[in-house]
Amino acid sequence: MASSGDSAELEAGMAELATPMRVYVAAGRFTVPEPDLPELAARIRALLAAVAADEAWRRFLPGYTPPSVPEICAALEPVEAHDAAPFLARVAAVDLVWPSHRHLPAEAAGRAAGRVVSLLGPEASWWTNHDIGCGAVNGLTPLFDSLLAGTNGEHFALALQIADD
């Protein structure tokens, strides 16, 4: 489990996975005791609100309000812990619309994603808006989006890639 001293390292690792106007990240420590999926969904909602407020996306999201916490919870599917680092690296590095385009070099994204997953620890829970079984995406925005969210019950890490087509 990430210690309080690891919060800064977790945030730094997630910052390495961000790219302007494409991959948005958030990481930190929960302020409530024993947080669960609704508290993680509230952090996801805050990240979606930040994207909607970003000048780069405001014109593509006129009138957009992030889904409610229960709607976000319903959109999330679990990700196996051993799949978390590769999934996080893909969200950060591989463009949703043009998979041959890279936002980050694959090696750099893989190293940073591995570090983040390691900091949250092997008992962390991971969630996505993808239905891994059929490949469908439960979109959180009216655009193309891909989310991976993880928590160890004390800290959280979020990565959201957004694209307009």
Side-chain angles (χ1 to χ4, degrees):
M1 185 181 278
S3 70
S4 59
D6 290 334
S7 280
E9 193 175 344
L10 181 63
E11 290 173 23
M14 288 304 293
E16 288 181 42
L17 296 169
T19 55
M21 300 182 309
R22 288 292 180 208
V23 180
Y24 294 80
V25 300
R29 182 182 215 143
F30 289 108
T31 56
V32 298
E34 299 185 37
D36 204 355
L37 191 56
E39 288 78 17
L40 184 63
R43 297 297 180 136
I44 294 167
R45 191 170 198 279
L47 182 60
L48 291 167
V51 171
D54 187 330
E55 191 174 324
W57 290 104
R58 207 173 312 147
R59 66 187 172 120
F60 295 106
L61 297 166
Y64 170 74
T65 301
S68 67
V69 165
E71 290 169 326
I72 292 171
C73 288
L76 297 177
E77 300 284 340
V79 173
E80 295 291 330
H82 64 272
D83 291 330
F87 198 112
L88 181 56
R90 274 193 314 277
V91 168
V94 180
D95 190 85
L96 288 172
V97 178
W98 305 104
S100 62
H101 176 73
R102 297 288 186 255
H103 295 295
L104 294 174
E107 281 186 23
R111 275 192 309 275
R115 202 163 47 257
V116 165
V117 170
S118 176
L119 284 167
L120 283 182
E123 301 303 315
S125 299
W126 293 92
W127 302 89
T128 184
N129 62 330
H130 293 252
D131 183 325
I132 305 296
C134 72
V137 177
N138 302 316
L140 298 170
T141 70
L143 306 172
F144 294 106
D145 60 70
S146 182
L147 169 83
L148 185 67
T151 181
N152 63 7
E154 182 180 351
H155 295 87
F156 65 91
L158 312 174
L160 174 73
Q161 186 185 140
I162 190 163
D164 63 346
D165 74 358

